[in-house]
Amino acid sequence: EPSTSAFPSSTPSSEPSLLPSAFPSSTCEGKIDDMEGKVDSIEGKIGDMEEKMTGKIDDMEEKMTGKMNELEAMLNELLAFVMSTPAPTVSTPVPSATPTDPPSICADKTGSWTIGASTSRPWCRVAARQSDTLDFCNRKNLGDDCPVTCGKCS
């Protein structure tokens, strides 16, 4: 029985091939041209989209750079403000001497007190525990409060 397939068989046949009449080459070439045109159109659209995206990315980068510069300026202003604001000072009132208080010529202050903005501590005892007590006394200005510890008594 003769082959009715539109595709040639692997065995030779005495029947003429149906391929040329089923798929005229001019139709195929036309479809290929149409597809190439569509591919070109798609590539053009992709190129346009890439161009738009690049522009948007550039705009976003510019905006982000501006925002970062604004933040940096605000941080610098805040830092300048913090650095220019003096630290609060806490002073411990010194009790006034009363006629019943015995004169103390050379004695360390007892109890705890603050120096500048530091924590309240028993500074004479802290000074006595230092490896270089005299240097610590000088740095913390403890000579009047801790004369015994700081070697100010004669």
Side-chain angles (χ1 to χ4, degrees), residues 5-152:
S5 168
F7 300 100
S9 67
S10 58
T11 58
S13 167
S14 61
E15 295 288 320
S17 171
L18 298 177
L19 185 62
S21 63
F23 299 106
S25 66
S26 62
T27 303
C28 289
E29 288 173 2
K31 292 202 181 269
I32 290 171
D33 289 342
D34 284 348
M35 289 176 67
E36 286 176 346
K38 288 178 182 178
V39 167
D40 289 344
S41 173
I42 290 170
E43 286 175 342
K45 288 178 182 179
I46 290 172
D48 291 345
M49 290 173 66
E50 284 177 340
E51 195 173 308
K52 286 179 185 177
M53 293 300 291
T54 301
K56 289 185 182 209
I57 289 171
D58 290 345
D59 290 346
M60 288 171 52
E61 284 178 351
E62 188 175 316
K63 286 179 184 176
M64 290 303 295
T65 300
K67 292 293 182 189
M68 287 174 24
N69 290 339
E70 287 176 26
L71 284 172
E72 184 178 11
M74 285 191 279
L75 285 172
N76 285 333
E77 286 178 34
L78 182 60
L79 180 63
F81 173 75
V82 169
M83 298 303 287
S84 69
T85 305
T89 57
V90 178
S91 61
T92 304
V94 177
S96 61
T98 62
T100 58
D101 286 342
S104 59
I105 298 171
C106 196
D108 284 351
K109 185 175 181 178
T110 59
S112 297
W113 71 95
T114 58
I115 297 175
S118 63
T119 306
S120 180
R121 294 185 175 181
W123 289 105
C124 294
R125 288 192 314 188
V126 171
R129 289 192 299 255
Q130 302 299 311
S131 60
D132 190 346
T133 301
L134 295 180
D135 180 58
F136 186 82
C137 288
N138 289 332
R139 284 187 288 119
K140 295 291 184 182
N141 196 21
L142 294 174
D144 292 337
D145 293 319
C146 310
V148 174
T149 302
C150 296
K152 297 290 181 177

